[in-house]
Amino acid sequence: MSTGLLHSLLDAQPSTPAGEPPLKVVMIDRKNIIVNPDNHKIYVIGDVSRLKEDIKTNGIRQPLEVVDLEDGNYKLIGGERRLTACEELAREGDTRFNALPCVILKLKNDDDDKIALITANATARELTDGERLAQYEALKEILTRRKKNGQLQGKVRDELCRILGLSAGAAARLNAISENCGDDTKRELRAGEITLMGAYRRAQEIIAARMAQQEAAKAPKPDKPVYEKPVVFDCSPKAAETIPESTVEDDEFELDRKMEKAGKLPEWAYSQAAEICREDWTKCLSEFSGEGIRKSKIMEYTHTGHPLQCGGYVHYTSSTVSIGVDTHRIELPWEKFADACKEVGIAPALKPVESEVSGQQEEQQRGKKTLKKLAEKMIDEDAPWELFVKQVMFQLAYYSQPLPGGAKLWMRRDEIRKEANFYNADSYAITLQDNTFFSKGWESEESIIERLTKYFELK
């Protein structure tokens, strides 16, 4: 358990702040312990089978924390997994846990209850990424309210880090996700469909897009319109009939619309489309079509916003693909993209399969997903980085950590950009045992995750 409102209760010997009477462990009937509704808004109880076996063998190692409701009942603050395990044991006929050891906390209001709940869970067990974000948001709301009411000295951020045991970098990532990502991303995070680093990359993309829009808004307006936003097409027959013909022959925006109406890509986009068709994720498709791509769950096996070797970038969603080069950007439904690639013969050649993805391919994809999660954890700021050298004049710091096979993962930090909270202050590289580069020099976070995943696959 973290320090703060609650202290270690191991061995049933609770400690208390100086000047206050010691907290006592008392036995309370299990039926009089009321589950805290706030707990389920933040945490998931999950499987308690291992905990149940431990309690069955060794008893309850740590008392539950409760508050007295003064009606004979007690509201649970910390220990719902222990309570759940004891209830399952009771249903199995084990009568040893009809009464449970508890510490009765004296809390003043609902905010105190919530802080105590979060403090009790913050380091008591391994949290999911979704739980980390949910408890961060809940605690930030309480502390912000206290700061506004003059009940908190110092910064909200510092108190968040203290209570949750976070580094400044970890808190910054959680805040970026909380402030910028929508409910869909948060639901995916809670369901375990994306990792915390995956959600953070989405937040970075949103921040970068917002900054670009702000810069574009500040720029002087040219005589001729420059279209910075993606061109999004409605491909329904009715919409196609309403697309106006261009009145300006060399207007790139209108040119793209004409190409779309004709079922083709703009001339500048074909080299990018050809490279996309050669990417690894296309090899698991049963068919190269809008439906086939959506069924492949492309978002699970690719990262968005990554650069293309031929120039420009590509951004994926479950329904569309967006390609950009210089000032030109176009966004297409997968159906239109697949049809356009087939028409000019750059669509990937796929082997016919009886099902969407063979069992072997599914296993390979699951393995790659696991390796990608490992790569994401390794570049986390809280990973075991060791300082190698600092260049004081340029305020650059180089960190490293070992990889299998004698290789090393490097992080180069621009401390000036980091201090200014720039999201791309860090760049990464992989060197082999003979000090040659496995990566293509210093790469972005997104690129190095893919490079590191490939390195793990080779090993």
Side-chain angles (χ1 to χ4, degrees), residues 45-298:
I45 300 304
D47 181 20
V48 296
S49 56
R50 291 179 62 185
L51 176 60
K52 184 175 68 173
E53 289 303 313
D54 182 70
I55 291 175
K56 186 175 181 179
T57 304
N58 302 303
I60 298 178
R61 299 173 183 266
Q62 185 173 335
L64 285 65
E65 299 99 30
V66 299
V67 292
D68 192 347
L69 297 178
E70 299 181 354
D71 61 357
N73 294 317
Y74 298 84
K75 181 167 70 172
L76 186 64
I77 296 298
E80 186 168 354
R81 283 173 55 80
R82 278 164 277 164
L83 176 63
T84 302
C86 289
E87 288 175 340
E88 290 189 9
L89 286 170
R91 285 194 292 271
E92 293 171 4
D94 193 332
T95 60
R96 293 177 296 163
F97 304 103
N98 290 335
L100 303 177
C102 299
V103 170
I104 302 175
L105 305 175
K106 297 185 182 297
L107 304 175
K108 298 177 181 179
N109 51 49
D110 288 343
D111 278 355
D112 279 351
D113 286 359
K114 291 178 182 177
I115 291 177
L117 171 68
I118 292 169
T119 306
N121 282 278
T123 56
R125 62 186 176 89
E126 185 69 25
L127 301 177
T128 67
D129 289 340
E131 289 173 330
R132 288 190 180 92
L133 179 63
Q135 76 174 9
Y136 174 88
E137 291 184 321
L139 185 57
K140 181 181 177 183
E141 179 183 353
I142 296 169
L143 296 179
T144 301
R145 182 165 54 248
R146 288 194 164 183
K147 180 70 174 179
K148 184 178 180 181
N149 296 335
Q151 299 172 317
L152 175 65
Q153 302 296 322
K155 297 179 180 179
V156 170
R157 179 191 61 193
D158 293 342
E159 188 68 1
L160 274 164
C161 291
R162 184 187 70 81
I163 292 176
L164 298 179
L166 296 174
S167 67
R173 287 191 290 274
L174 287 168
N175 193 66
I177 296 168
S178 175
E179 295 292 331
N180 296 283
C181 292
D183 292 338
D184 287 345
T185 295
K186 294 177 183 179
R187 278 195 294 271
E188 289 178 54
L189 192 62
R190 193 165 181 82
E193 295 173 2
I194 59 171
T195 64
L196 200 64
M197 288 304 296
Y200 179 52
R201 286 198 299 275
R202 289 189 189 178
Q204 289 178 315
E205 292 170 7
I206 293 169
I207 293 169
R210 187 185 304 125
M211 291 174 65
Q213 289 177 352
Q214 291 172 353
E215 290 300 318
K218 294 177 184 177
K221 302 297 181 183
D223 294 335
K224 181 180 176 180
V226 177
Y227 297 89
E228 295 289 348
K229 294 183 178 180
V231 183
V232 183
F233 300 106
D234 183 347
C235 297
S236 64
K238 182 178 179 182
E241 294 171 1
T242 62
I243 297 177
E245 293 295 330
S246 174
T247 56
V248 184
E249 288 297 320
D250 59 348
D251 190 323
E252 186 66 42
F253 178 76
E254 294 295 345
L255 176 61
D256 289 355
R257 295 176 77 94
K258 286 181 179 179
M259 291 291 188
E260 167 63 18
K261 188 175 179 180
K264 299 179 180 179
L265 288 167
E267 195 65 33
W268 58 265
Y270 278 103
S271 57
Q272 283 71 28
E275 184 174 334
I276 292 169
C277 290
R278 294 193 298 270
E279 290 190 332
D280 289 343
W281 62 267
T282 63
K283 297 179 177 63
C284 71
L285 297 178
S286 58
E287 60 175 343
F288 192 66
S289 65
E291 183 179 3
I293 294 170
R294 282 194 298 274
K295 285 183 178 180
S296 73
K297 298 181 181 179
I298 180 175

Side-chain angles (χ1 to χ4, degrees), residues 284-344:
C284 71
L285 297 178
S286 58
E287 60 175 343
F288 192 66
S289 65
E291 183 179 3
I293 294 170
R294 282 194 298 274
K295 285 183 178 180
S296 73
K297 298 181 181 179
I298 180 175
M299 297 298 289
E300 292 187 13
Y301 307 124
T302 61
H303 68 279
T304 62
H306 67 271
L308 296 169
Q309 292 183 357
C310 64
Y313 70 92
V314 61
H315 179 92
Y316 301 120
T317 73
S318 59
S319 59
T320 61
V321 56
S322 176
I323 308 170
V325 176
D326 299 326
T327 60
H328 302 322
R329 301 172 72 183
I330 185 169
E331 184 171 321
L332 290 169
W334 282 114
E335 287 84 357
K336 281 288 184 180
F337 178 79
D339 290 344
C341 293
K342 290 176 183 176
E343 184 176 344
V344 295

Side-chain angles (χ1 to χ4, degrees), residues 168-170 172-173 197 200 204 378-383 385 387 395-399 401 409-429 441-449:
R173 287 191 290 274
M197 288 304 296
Y200 179 52
Q204 289 178 315
M378 290 198 69
I379 68 164
D380 190 279
E381 191 172 279
D382 296 327
W385 294 103
L387 179 64
Q395 295 194 39
L396 295 174
Y398 294 81
Y399 299 84
Q401 55 178 300
L409 173 63
W410 295 88
M411 175 174 67
R412 180 177 64 184
R413 170 161 293 170
D414 186 328
E415 296 182 336
I416 297 175
R417 295 179 69 84
K418 187 69 176 180
E419 183 67 24
N421 289 323
F422 278 36
Y423 74 92
N424 58 348
D426 299 332
S427 54
Y428 304 85
W442 294 94
E443 301 187 0
S444 67
E445 179 181 293
E446 292 83 0
S447 296
I448 205 66
I449 287 174

